[in-house]
Amino acid sequence: MELLKEENYYPKEVKDRVEWILTDQRRKYQYLFSKSKQSAGEREDMTLQEESRLSYYKKIAEISTHKNVVLVQHIETKKIYVRKDLTVYDRDIYLDLMVYTSQFFPGIYECIESEGTLILVEEYIQGQNLEEYLEEKGTLAEAEVRLLVSDICEALKDLHNRPVPVIHRDLKPSNILLTADHQIKIVDFNIARNYESGQGSDTVIMGTRKYAAPEQYGYAQTDARTDLYALGVMMNYLLTGKYPSDEIFFGEMEPIIRKCIQFDPDQRYQSAAELQRDLMIGEGARQANMGDAGHGGRIGTRQQRYADEVAIGEAKEGSRMGRPSASGTKTDVQGREKKHPLLPPGFRTGTAWKALLAVIGYATLWFFGLTLTVDDGNGMPETGLLLCANRTYFISIGMLCIFFWFNYMDVHRYLPLMKKRGWKIIGYVLYTVLITVAILVILTCIENR
């Protein structure tokens, strides 16, 4: 090993490779040593060696609203890392991630426990999380969501298929980083846990409320299907900007979302591989129907693949609505009849009670519109073209507002204010006023001809 200190003795590539092997071996040794100490019941405190290693990482900036997450720089290598001081954690999870690395998770370089705090030094990843990406882009096209979630499934297959499966339990857009070349990285394993066969329920109830599966509230033990529930919520959120409890996306991915978020885990997808297969089957059918099957494989760079698929998806979004599956059936993976997006709001899902309310609502609107009377200013009722114009005005405003409010044909995707969650209320008011004024102007012009 002394030979490595002689700067010109070995080529740089050889020295880098040896250094990587030594670092990997050191990680594995730390992992096995930590596990042996824990099994012996010894209390973990920071050693002088660990304290010395941490002293090489100097804080250079805050990168989170949480004061326990900072950007640090190694004083010798000048490389940038992220340091996290965690008070809620499972050290075994991070030790596993430290030893068994993956392209889908940040590399972990230090994992040190001291006085009830776990100190992590992680790889610094340049990019943005999906929450930020959604704020910038607005709701995403189905083609892009399929590819993003397929990559997340690939990462979950790594976690769920380990000898001791790892359940993340907090999958959400802010915990998915997207690099410049569209590679995903799953972060924040603070509440992740190992699956324990035979356990009735989790000891501690944790998770983000909108994304947490029912079993995270104590109904049963969390397992791989818990993460798939969160993925279903995430897909809906990326496509609509809303949670399933507020609005379910309608389109080709709706049956996949509904299957993911079933209350009973046995009714959901049973593995990430199963969900990934349905995502890619749908994407393959879409490409075949558009005569673009050449893009179907996972070839080329990620950035090219995403650019191609998003461009195709946005250009063909309208033609995909309501198209039958590749098998020619009109049912989804659960055997339910698919929506009919061309039908007016209330009839698109085929749900009986919604259709009944829609019939009552439309009948009421048209009844009042067709029986509307207008005075001419002298107490006499209007007749002829003026009466017809007023009745048309009343019915048109009602119908167009309904179509707008219920996002008919995904019209919100094309209206700027409706893409940003913080502006949606203003958008609803503004576009309703614009619809009313536009119809009034059109009818006024017709009357004056």
Side-chain angles (χ1 to χ4, degrees), residues 165-415:
V166 175
I167 316 303
H168 189 281
R169 298 202 300 172
D170 199 22
L171 287 176
K172 55 186 177 182
S174 60
N175 283 344
I176 308 294
L177 295 185
L178 192 62
T179 64
D181 62 349
H182 279 264
Q183 178 171 322
I184 65 102
K185 298 272 190 178
I186 299 179
V187 299
D188 288 350
F189 287 79
N190 303 9
I191 66 170
R193 65 181 291 272
N194 292 123
Y195 174 73
E196 299 177 20
S197 179
Q199 183 171 315
S201 61
D202 291 352
T203 305
V204 181
I205 298 174
M206 289 183 173
T208 302
R209 185 170 60 89
K210 291 289 187 178
Y211 293 89
E215 56 268 26
Q216 288 182 258
Y217 294 95
Y219 292 102
Q221 183 189 187
T222 52
D223 58 22
R225 298 168 297 182
T226 302
D227 286 342
L228 302 184
Y229 181 99
L231 266 190
V233 177
M234 189 189 303
M235 284 187 279
N236 196 82
Y237 186 74
L238 295 175
L239 290 163
T240 67
K242 298 179 181 180
Y243 300 108
S245 56
D246 300 321
E247 176 186 322
I248 290 283
F249 174 74
F250 68 89
E252 292 178 358
M253 289 184 66
E254 182 217 352
I256 295 177
I257 293 171
R258 287 188 180 275
K259 187 169 182 178
C260 283
I261 60 174
Q262 289 293 309
F263 183 92
D264 183 357
D266 291 337
Q267 300 301 315
R268 300 176 202 155
Y269 289 100
Q270 298 302 293
S271 68
E274 186 183 347
L275 170 57
Q276 186 183 47
R277 184 192 65 230
D278 271 6
L279 288 169
M280 290 298 96
I281 286 175
E283 183 64 8
R286 183 187 69 80
Q287 292 167 347
N289 285 339
M290 290 191 298
D292 205 17
H295 292 280
R298 299 176 67 85
I299 58 177
T301 66
R302 263 194 175 82
Q303 195 168 15
Q304 291 170 338
R305 180 164 58 91
Y306 272 84
D308 291 345
E309 295 299 337
V310 172
I312 293 168
E314 290 177 346
K316 302 293 184 178
E317 188 75 25
S319 65
R320 294 203 317 267
M321 300 295 286
R323 188 176 59 208
S325 66
S327 64
T329 63
K330 296 288 185 179
T331 59
D332 61 28
V333 292
Q334 300 176 52
R336 275 189 310 106
E337 290 186 4
K338 294 183 70 173
K339 282 187 176 182
H340 303 283
L342 295 178
L343 294 179
F347 300 99
R348 294 173 293 185
T349 64
T351 306
W353 67 268
K354 289 183 180 180
L356 178 61
L357 288 178
V359 168
I360 295 173
Y362 290 128
T364 302
L365 173 65
W366 280 80
F367 172 78
F368 281 108
L370 295 174
T371 58
L372 179 71
T373 58
V374 181
D375 291 339
D376 63 358
N378 297 318
M380 299 297 292
E382 291 284 5
T383 59
L385 180 61
L386 187 59
L387 177 61
C388 181
N390 277 278
R391 289 177 174 177
T392 302
Y393 178 62
F394 180 87
I395 295 173
S396 298
I397 289 177
M399 293 298 294
L400 286 176
C401 284
I402 289 172
F403 287 176
F404 166 66
W405 292 335
F406 290 94
N407 196 22
Y408 181 65
M409 293 298 295
D410 203 19
V411 67
H412 290 180
R413 181 185 296 277
Y414 309 103
L415 302 174

